[in-house]
Amino acid sequence: MLGKFFESLYLKVFVNIVVKNSTTDVYIELCSKKGVIDNAEDSFSTTKMSEDMLEFITSYTRESPFSYTSVLDTSESQGAIPTCSKNRLSYYYDVSASEYKCQDKKWAYYTSKSDLYDIERRYQDIGVDFVFSPFSILANFFKDKVDSHHAMYILVQEGFLSLCVFDNSQLLFAQHLDMEKITESDDLLMDDSDEELDLDEGIDLEDIDVMDADDSLDDFSDIEDLDSLEEIDEFSDNKDVEEEFYHEESDEIAENEDTGFNEDYQRFSLIQSSMNHFYKDEKYESEFIENVYIADGVGISSDLKRYLEEEMFLSVYVRHLELGAEVSELARSEVGL
């Protein structure tokens, strides 16, 4: 009782770290028991902990004894598999060198122990409470769709694609792809049923021992333990709608046109190869995909949507998201806010 009273005297500080190709975004939320009351964010030209980043973070965390640091996992050795049964896990992936948890007793996500330790060492000056998977983001961001639709869901990050197929809340397939490490000549490899490129969710670093299949899967935590572009379909929280998507500055479009085209074509190629993998690999219960929901964390052009619709005859819906805010939402849920 006294602890609850003491806790109510302070704001809770949520520090959320999203690492990109060559930069790191830090998004901070200050919360009372009523919810978020303020936020701050900054970007740093490094993928490691720097003095500037440490000072930015501690300028907020020193004001409260209740702070929580979360990291979005971008490591290559992560994934998600469509079972929670210990006897079936190895059919999809050898998790002996990984930490894994189950989601709703239906499917599991994992990440390698060595990657978790690397994250711990990188942020040892501040400590890490939660490591969240891209799949945690997708499952939460598209919750109303995942629970009632059969579709592919894609998270687009700078340099990464996270893809999964859900059928009425049951995971059927997942891949996490590092765009820098997969060249056009490598795309064919993803059709090989022996290659596993999967996605992950948050890891409880405090409970670093392998979890039982009946454990819940919300996080792997505590380490100590486009002038305008063409129309793009977006959807609201409750129903799909069509909206026009514009870049704010036409000059920016001209400046980034070639780069955006190349990246979106590469994304299209990877998505196409991933679908082929899903359809051809006998391990997965492949069902024909008609709808694709994209969580856009980078500001994709309309080209990606057009490629998928014209070349693969898919219905594509795009929605923008702020990765730092989405990570923070998961962290707040973990601590009961």
Side-chain angles (χ1 to χ4, degrees):
M1 187 71 177
L2 185 58
K4 287 291 184 181
F5 173 75
F6 179 71
E7 186 175 345
S8 68
L9 299 177
Y10 293 92
L11 295 177
K12 288 183 171 64
V13 182
F14 292 87
V15 178
N16 308 282
I17 300 174
V18 177
V19 179
K20 300 182 177 181
N21 287 339
S22 59
T23 62
T24 299
D25 290 345
V26 179
Y27 175 75
I28 295 176
E29 286 185 341
L30 306 178
C31 303
S32 69
K33 61 181 180 180
K34 295 181 179 180
V36 180
I37 63 171
D38 200 5
N39 64 72
E41 57 186 318
D42 205 347
S43 184
F44 302 88
S45 301
T46 178
T47 59
K48 307 294 184 181
M49 175 62 71
S50 65
E51 292 184 7
D52 289 345
M53 191 190 306
L54 180 60
E55 174 56 32
F56 176 69
I57 292 172
T58 56
S59 67
Y60 290 92
T61 58
R62 69 167 64 105
E63 300 298 324
S64 173
F66 302 101
S67 64
Y68 308 88
T69 299
S70 302
V71 176
L72 180 61
D73 190 6
T74 59
S75 57
E76 188 176 4
S77 301
Q78 59 168 302
I81 44 186
T83 185
C84 272
S85 170
K86 287 184 177 181
N87 296 329
R88 292 278 293 167
L89 290 173
S90 61
Y91 177 71
Y92 297 98
Y93 188 80
D94 181 2
V95 296
S96 60
S98 302
E99 296 300 327
Y100 76 89
K101 284 190 176 181
C102 285
Q103 175 71 40
D104 301 327
K105 298 183 179 181
K106 294 180 179 180
W107 53 279
Y109 63 92
Y110 62 87
T111 199
S112 74
K113 295 177 182 179
S114 61
D115 286 333
L116 291 176
Y117 293 140
D118 286 343
I119 292 172
E120 178 182 11
R121 287 191 294 267
R122 181 184 301 179
Y123 301 108
Q124 60 185 344
D125 290 339
I126 56 173
V128 176
D129 298 288
F130 305 104
V131 176
F132 289 109
S133 149
F135 294 109
S136 297
I137 299 295
L138 280 169
N140 187 63
F141 191 67
F142 291 126
K143 183 172 177 55
D144 60 325
K145 305 300 179 184
V146 166
D147 288 347
S148 58
H149 288 62
H150 170 70
M152 173 172 277
Y153 302 87
I154 304 171
L155 174 62
V156 179
Q157 298 175 248
E158 184 179 305
F160 301 96
L161 282 181
S162 300
L163 313 91
C164 55
V165 178
F166 277 99
D167 184 16
N168 296 315
S169 76
Q170 175 60 58
L171 180 74
L172 301 182
F173 173 79
Q175 284 191 312
H176 177 72
L177 306 177
D178 185 331
M179 293 175 62
E180 286 193 340
K181 294 184 178 180
I182 301 177
T183 64
E184 291 184 6
S185 62
D186 291 325
D187 291 349
L188 293 176
L189 294 177
M190 286 186 293
D191 292 336
D192 187 337
S193 63
D194 291 333
E195 173 139 338
E196 294 296 335
L197 290 172
D198 291 314
L199 305 156
D200 163 2
E201 295 200 21
I203 293 180
D204 191 349
L205 298 174
E206 194 169 81
D207 298 317
I208 200 125
D209 294 332
V210 173
M211 295 297 171
D212 292 334
D214 59 353
D215 289 337
S216 64
L217 155 120
D218 284 327
D219 68 302
F220 292 110
S221 81
D222 207 339
I223 274 193
E224 221 168 41
D225 7 317
L226 291 166
D227 286 336
S228 67
L229 289 176
E230 298 175 12
E231 189 175 49
I232 283 184
D233 289 342
E234 297 195 355
F235 62 90
S236 66
D237 289 337
N238 299 317
K239 63 179 181 179
D240 298 336
V241 297
E242 288 193 3
E243 297 180 359
E244 289 184 325
F245 180 82
Y246 300 92
H247 274 296
E248 294 181 358
E249 299 291 340
S250 59
D251 290 342
E252 182 183 348
I253 299 171
E255 181 180 349
N256 296 320
E257 188 175 35
D258 291 339
T259 301
F261 172 83
N262 292 334
E263 289 183 345
D264 280 340
Y265 187 78
Q266 184 186 10
R267 291 178 181 119
F268 161 71
S269 298
L270 293 175
I271 293 168
Q272 187 177 48
S273 295
S274 186
M275 277 195 179
N276 287 337
H277 186 183
F278 171 57
Y279 288 141
K280 293 179 181 180
D281 194 327
E282 295 181 355
K283 290 197 299 288
Y284 304 105
E285 297 180 13
S286 57
E287 297 182 22
F288 184 69
I289 298 170
E290 296 182 0
N291 299 307
V292 173
Y293 294 93
I294 298 177
D296 176 17
V298 298
I300 60 173
S301 74
S302 60
D303 290 329
L304 177 58
K305 177 179 182 294
R306 179 168 55 83
Y307 295 148
L308 293 170
E309 291 184 333
E310 294 182 0
E311 300 296 327
M312 300 182 68
F313 308 104
L314 298 165
S315 295
V316 182
Y317 305 92
V318 181
R319 183 181 181 186
H320 177 72
L321 88 167
E322 296 292 341
L323 276 168
E326 293 302 318
V327 172
S328 191
E329 182 175 326
L330 292 179
R332 284 189 277 110
S333 177
E334 285 297 307
V335 301
L337 282 183

